Amino acid sequence: MSEQVLTKRVVLKSMLTLVFAAIAVGMVLPFIWMLSGSFKNSADLFEYPIRWIPKVWNFDNYKKVWSGSVPFSVFYINSIKITFFQVVGSIVTSALAGFAFAKLKFKWKDGIFLIYLSTMIIPHQVLFVPRFILFDQMNLVNTHAAIILPGMFTVLGTFLMRQFFMTLPNELLEASKVDGAGYWRMFWQLSLPLTKPALVTLLILTFTWHWNEYENPLILLRSRNLFTIPIGLSSFSDETGTDYPLIMAASVSALGPLIVIVAICQRWFVEGIANTGLKG
């Protein structure tokens, strides 16, 4: 390969790096401004040019957020409870269904999977009314169970796990079957430990989705002490009006768990996306 070609590649790679770095900075700056604004007074928030480091650090914003008439901790506990059961349920059901569709043989397997996958084209909003009627007849409206139960099943999670299980060699399962292993042992002891990247990917996707879920809690929850963070944040914003530093402090508090989860699981998330074909 000639030196000229290598030079062109280096220049192209450097240009792409600069472009993506600029995009990354553009995406991070609003969060940095929000974080900075959450420690400012209302009078200092909109000063120009922007002061990225607050002139006076105001920690009272976070005190007001966490110790108001309905403390933010109530919304946090509700969101953690609901999201935990939804994430665990999604991982269990998706892993079992994905293994069945990928490795087991049964009649009409491909047709059933295609029908199941086609439900993804149904708009989420179409289900609001029938879901509300169903849960109302079951006396589950204004309970966390009405939010948790539908969230424990995900078509995308089943598809993701199926794609990952299909990458496992069939010879591995055949050998274990010869040794006397049943389907449950093949799934639990042999296949599942190899799907860690896919499980982490599913964890991040479902955690992000359910932590930020707004519409279902808005429709199904009425009592304020049952609100999740998105509904509580909306209610909090209505109460505080134009006190933007206070709203920013609440928003930063709401983003904390998402940042921690993504930061811890990023390596497995990238590997899982690469191995399951979920590329944009």
Side-chain angles (χ1 to χ4, degrees):
M1 188 177 295
S2 66
E3 183 177 347
Q4 187 178 4
V5 174
L6 288 174
T7 303
K8 288 182 178 180
R9 288 191 174 183
V10 171
V11 171
L12 179 60
K13 187 175 181 179
S14 300
M15 291 178 62
L16 288 175
T17 301
L18 290 175
V19 170
F20 286 117
I23 294 174
V25 170
M27 296 177 68
V28 171
L29 276 180
F31 173 75
I32 296 177
W33 184 71
M34 181 176 68
L35 180 61
S36 173
S38 68
F39 291 102
K40 293 180 179 180
N41 301 315
S42 297
D44 298 333
L45 182 62
F46 295 107
E47 64 179 343
Y48 187 82
I50 297 175
R51 187 188 296 271
W52 295 100
I53 300 177
K55 180 170 54 178
V56 177
W57 291 84
N58 182 14
F59 294 93
D60 289 338
N61 293 329
Y62 286 92
K63 292 180 181 178
K64 292 177 182 178
V65 167
W66 288 92
S67 60
S69 57
V70 177
F72 219 66
S73 57
V74 174
F75 304 143
Y76 244 77
I77 293 172
N78 292 338
S79 286
I80 290 173
K81 169 190 170 183
I82 292 173
T83 305
F84 172 78
F85 285 110
Q86 288 177 318
V87 169
V88 172
S90 297
I91 290 177
V92 171
T93 57
S94 297
L96 289 170
F99 179 79
F101 283 122
K103 295 302 181 182
L104 302 188
K105 295 180 180 179
F106 53 91
K107 194 174 183 181
W108 301 323
K109 180 178 73 173
D110 293 336
I112 294 173
F113 179 73
L114 182 62
I115 294 172
Y116 185 56
L117 194 63
S118 65
T119 59
M120 292 182 67
I121 68 175
I122 300 175
H124 186 64
Q125 293 77 7
V126 173
L127 303 176
F128 286 157
V129 174
R131 182 176 294 172
F132 181 86
I133 294 174
L134 174 64
F135 286 136
D136 186 48
Q137 292 176 347
M138 298 172 65
N139 295 320
L140 292 179
V141 172
N142 199 36
T143 67
H144 286 162
I147 311 298
I148 294 172
L149 292 176
M152 295 178 69
F153 305 91
T154 165
V155 180
L156 178 62
T158 301
F159 171 75
L160 188 151
M161 294 304 300
R162 173 185 179 271
Q163 295 301 105
F164 202 96
F165 278 122
M166 289 182 68
T167 64
L168 302 181
N170 292 327
E171 292 77 11
L172 191 64
L173 300 182
E174 294 292 338
S176 64
K177 193 173 182 179
V178 171
D179 291 337
Y183 288 124
W184 175 253
R185 189 174 179 184
M186 284 190 287
F187 166 76
W188 181 253
Q189 295 185 352
L190 190 62
S191 300
L192 195 62
L194 300 177
T195 62
K196 185 177 181 179
L199 292 174
V200 172
T201 302
L202 181 58
L203 184 150
I204 293 178
L205 292 176
T206 54
F207 183 90
T208 303
W209 172 258
H210 294 305
W211 185 265
N212 293 323
E213 190 174 13
Y214 180 81
E215 294 172 326
N216 280 325
L218 178 65
I219 294 172
L220 295 170
L221 299 180
R222 298 169 183 171
S223 301
R224 195 178 185 195
N225 63 335
L226 295 176
F227 283 178
T228 58
I229 283 182
I231 306 300
L233 187 59
S234 177
S235 176
F236 184 80
S237 300
D238 292 338
E239 289 184 1
T240 54
T242 58
D243 193 346
Y244 296 113
L246 205 58
I247 296 174
M248 289 182 178
S251 300
V252 171
S253 299
L255 285 174
L258 290 175
I259 296 173
V260 172
I261 290 291
V262 173
I264 293 175
C265 304
Q266 181 183 10
R267 179 167 65 89
W268 296 286
F269 176 72
V270 173
E271 184 180 346
I273 290 293
N275 290 335
T276 52
L278 294 178
K279 301 177 183 179

